[in-house]
Amino acid sequence: MTDTKNILRRLCVLCAMMLFVLHGAAQTDTAAVQYDMPYHINSMALSSDSSYVCMTFMQTGRTARYGIFDLESRQLTWMSETMDTERGRVVPTRHGLLVMRDWGLLWNISMIDAQRGTATWTEPGVGGFRYAERCDMALAVKKNVREPGLILKAFNVSNGDTLWRYRINHEFVQGMNGGMYSVSDSIALVIADQLCLVSRGLGNINYCSYDTPQPGADLPTMVTGNRIYVSDKGHVTCYDKWLEKKWSAAHPSTAHARLLRMGKRLCLINEGYIKKVLPPDHTGVSPIVNQQVCKPFIAFYDSETGSRQSLTNLDWKQSNGTLERILVNAVFYVRDDGGDGFRKIATPAGGCFVKVSDGRIYVLDEKMKIRQRYESDQIYHRQFAAQNRAAIVCNGDAYVITPDGRPVTHLPQGTTSVFRIGKEIFYSIGDTLCCAPLE
C-alpha cells in the first residue's frame, strides 16, 4: 500500500512539472531532489546553526508530529509521538527544540535533544511559554494548586534549572506566547498584570503598572535600542531600559494592535478586533473568530518626543470582508501587464496595505484613500530575498525570480514553504520535501 502511495505521489509531481513546462516561460524545477516524508508537511524552521530543519507534520485534523531533517545526511533522523495542534508549539533553539505538548491530563514544556529526540529536561503543568533567545531563558505560566493566582517561572534553557519564580495576579496577563521581550543579553521585559523587568539570574529588577485593555485585546510592545514602547488601553508610552517613563500620548481604545518603528517615527496600527472563542461545533471544535470592537486606525508619533503627527480612522464599507490585517513596510508581487513576469508592489510612502478576510489586499495612500485593489489569486507573497534571487508563492503556485521580477524557476504546483540555505532552496509539496540549486 505504501509503495503504491509513493508511486502515485511521484506521478503527480511529474505530471505537474510537465504541465508547467507547457504553461510558463520559466524553467520548471526538474533538478530537485525529493525526500519522502511520512505525513503532510505542515511547517519548517531552520536551526540557528543551519544544521537541521525542524519539521511539523499534520497527521489528522487535530494531531500532529514533529521531527528533525538533518541537512548533512539528508535524512529524517527521528519523529515524535503525536501532539495536539491547538496548543502544541515547537521552537528551535541553540540547545535543541523547546516543545510544548500534552502529557496525560497536564501540559508540559520540554527541551528535546535535536540529535536523539530525547528530552533533556521537562517541566509539567504549564499553560504557555515564551522564549527569549538573547537571554537564553524560557518563561512559563504554571497553575498554583495550593493558592489563588499563577506561578510565573523562568528557566535556564540549557539545563532546565529554575532561575526565579513569582506568584502573580493573572486577571489580564497577555498570553505567554507574547509576554516576554529581550531588553539585553541578561534582562527581559515580562508583561504580567504589571510590566516587570527581570534579570536572568535574580528575578525582579523593576516594575510599573499600565491601563489594562479589555479581555482578548493585545498590549502592543516594542523594545528597540534603549527604549521600550508600550500601548495600553488609552495611551502609548515610552520608557527607558529601566522602565522610567520618558513620555506618554493618548489615543483611542485599541484591540488587536501593533507598534512599529519607522525611522524617527513610531507607528501604532490598531486592527480593531479581538479573538473570540465560539461554542464548540458539531465536531467538538471551538472556532476562533475576529470580533470587531473598535474602529481600526493608524497613528504616527515622533518616537523621541511622543507628539502625535497623524491619526487616521479606516472605514471598510468598500469591502464585503472584515478587516484582517494592516500591513506596513510589506512587499508582495503581482503579474506584470504582459503576464510573463512579476512586478514588486511595496508599501506606498506614508501609506499601507490592508488585507481583508476574503484575501483581498487594498493599497492605501498617505491620506488613507484606496488607490488599488488586488484579489487573493493575484498576490504572490515573498518567502525569501537573496542578492540575486527571491522566492514568491500564491496559493501553491511558486516561482524563483530575479530582482527585476523575471521568473527563473517555476516550482511544482502545491508548493508551500520555501526557504534558502546557502546556494540551495528547500520547499515542500504535501508529504514531499524538495531541494534544488538556487541558481
Side-chain angles (χ1 to χ4, degrees):
M1 184 69 180
T2 302
D3 291 340
T4 303
K5 176 185 173 183
N6 290 337
I7 293 171
L8 290 173
R9 181 173 59 246
R10 291 180 182 277
L11 285 173
C12 290
V13 172
L14 288 173
C15 289
M17 290 179 175
M18 294 175 64
L19 287 172
F20 287 137
V21 169
L22 297 173
H23 174 72
Q27 176 184 353
T28 303
D29 185 11
T30 56
V33 179
Q34 298 179 20
Y35 304 96
D36 294 334
M37 297 295 138
Y39 301 104
H40 181 91
I41 301 170
N42 192 46
S43 67
M44 298 188 289
L46 181 65
S47 66
S48 58
D49 61 359
S50 299
S51 64
Y52 65 84
V53 176
C54 175
M55 311 177 80
T56 62
F57 304 99
M58 186 62 68
Q59 187 175 4
T60 65
R62 293 195 63 175
T63 61
R65 296 174 184 255
Y66 60 91
I68 293 297
F69 182 82
D70 183 77
L71 289 172
E72 183 176 354
S73 65
R74 300 298 168 98
Q75 291 182 345
L76 185 68
T77 56
W78 58 266
M79 187 170 58
S80 74
E81 297 297 324
T82 59
M83 62 185 290
D84 193 298
T85 58
E86 294 286 322
R87 294 175 58 192
R89 295 179 60 207
V90 182
V91 179
T93 76
R94 57 179 174 269
H95 304 290
L97 305 181
L98 197 56
V99 176
M100 180 174 175
R101 62 184 297 271
D102 59 334
W103 189 265
L105 297 177
L106 298 174
W107 287 81
N108 65 32
I109 54 171
S110 301
M111 177 56 66
I112 306 298
D113 185 294
Q115 301 300 320
R116 301 176 179 84
T118 56
T120 58
W121 60 265
T122 298
E123 180 68 23
V126 300
F129 78 89
R130 174 78 174 184
Y131 171 57
E133 183 174 14
R134 287 175 63 193
C135 303
D136 207 22
M137 180 169 69
L139 187 73
V141 173
K142 291 172 62 67
K143 180 66 178 175
N144 188 350
V145 296
R146 295 183 179 88
E147 54 185 322
L150 297 174
I151 296 297
L152 196 63
K153 194 172 181 180
F155 302 91
N156 183 330
V157 173
S158 63
N159 55 24
D161 288 350
T162 299
L163 298 172
W164 48 264
R165 54 181 288 155
Y166 291 120
R167 188 180 69 82
I168 60 171
N169 294 325
H170 207 62
E171 294 178 4
F172 171 69
V173 184
Q174 186 185 27
M176 282 300 105
N177 290 347
M180 182 168 66
Y181 301 83
S182 297
V183 176
S184 69
D185 290 337
S186 60
I187 298 176
L189 174 70
V190 174
I191 301 173
D193 285 2
Q194 294 175 312
L195 301 178
C196 306
L197 280 179
V198 297
S199 68
R200 184 175 183 273
L202 301 177
N204 192 357
I205 295 177
N206 198 359
Y207 64 90
C208 67
S209 299
Y210 59 89
D211 190 5
T212 304
Q214 61 182 316
D218 295 334
L219 189 78
T221 306
M222 182 177 62
V223 178
T224 173
N226 293 323
R227 292 288 183 264
I228 298 169
Y229 299 94
V230 176
S231 177
D232 61 19
K233 187 174 183 179
H235 297 80
V236 57
T237 305
C238 174
Y239 303 91
D240 66 14
K241 62 180 180 179
W242 303 114
L243 283 184
E244 293 293 330
K245 185 185 294 186
K246 308 301 290 184
W247 56 259
S248 185
H251 61 64
S253 179
T254 62
H256 189 65
R258 289 175 291 145
L259 285 169
L260 296 173
R261 183 79 177 268
M262 303 172 64
K264 294 183 178 181
R265 295 194 302 169
L266 183 69
C267 180
L268 173 61
I269 300 174
N270 173 47
E271 293 165 359
Y273 61 82
I274 59 174
K275 297 286 186 181
K276 184 177 181 180
V277 181
L278 300 179
D281 58 21
H282 67 282
T283 66
V285 176
S286 298
I288 300 176
V289 298
N290 296 339
Q291 179 182 357
Q292 206 76 36
V293 294
C294 60
K295 288 185 178 180
F297 66 82
I298 297 180
F300 288 97
Y301 302 85
D302 185 304
S303 61
E304 293 298 321
T305 66
S307 62
R308 192 168 74 194
Q309 299 171 343
S310 65
L311 188 148
T312 307
N313 290 313
L314 300 180
D315 181 7
W316 289 103
K317 293 178 181 178
Q318 300 92 337
S319 169
N320 293 325
T322 58
L323 184 145
E324 183 175 281
R325 195 166 187 194
I326 301 169
L327 305 169
V328 177
N329 291 342
V331 173
F332 64 89
Y333 291 79
V334 295
R335 293 270 185 187
D336 61 22
D337 295 336
D340 295 328
F342 300 88
R343 57 188 174 92
K344 181 191 299 185
I345 308 295
T347 307
C352 66
F353 296 135
V354 171
K355 184 177 181 181
V356 294
S357 56
D358 61 6
R360 283 176 290 174
I361 286 184
Y362 293 82
V363 183
L364 276 63
D365 62 18
E366 68 280 359
K367 296 182 179 179
M368 299 294 121
K369 301 296 184 182
I370 295 176
R371 295 306 179 197
Q372 182 65 290
R373 187 185 85 173
Y374 296 97
E375 302 299 326
S376 60
D377 58 358
Q378 295 177 291
I379 304 162
Y380 284 78
H381 296 269
R382 187 169 64 183
Q383 301 283 294
F384 71 80
Q387 183 176 1
N388 298 318
R389 295 289 186 269
I392 56 175
V393 176
C394 173
N395 299 330
D397 186 33
Y399 286 85
V400 176
I401 61 173
T402 61
D404 61 358
R406 178 176 58 85
V408 176
T409 307
H410 195 173
L411 302 178
Q413 186 68 21
T415 294
T416 52
S417 300
V418 185
F419 62 92
R420 176 179 68 95
I421 303 176
K423 295 182 179 180
E424 294 179 307
I425 59 170
F426 287 79
Y427 55 93
S428 62
I429 310 171
D431 55 3
T432 301
L433 176 66
C434 301
C435 172
L438 179 60
E439 299 295 333

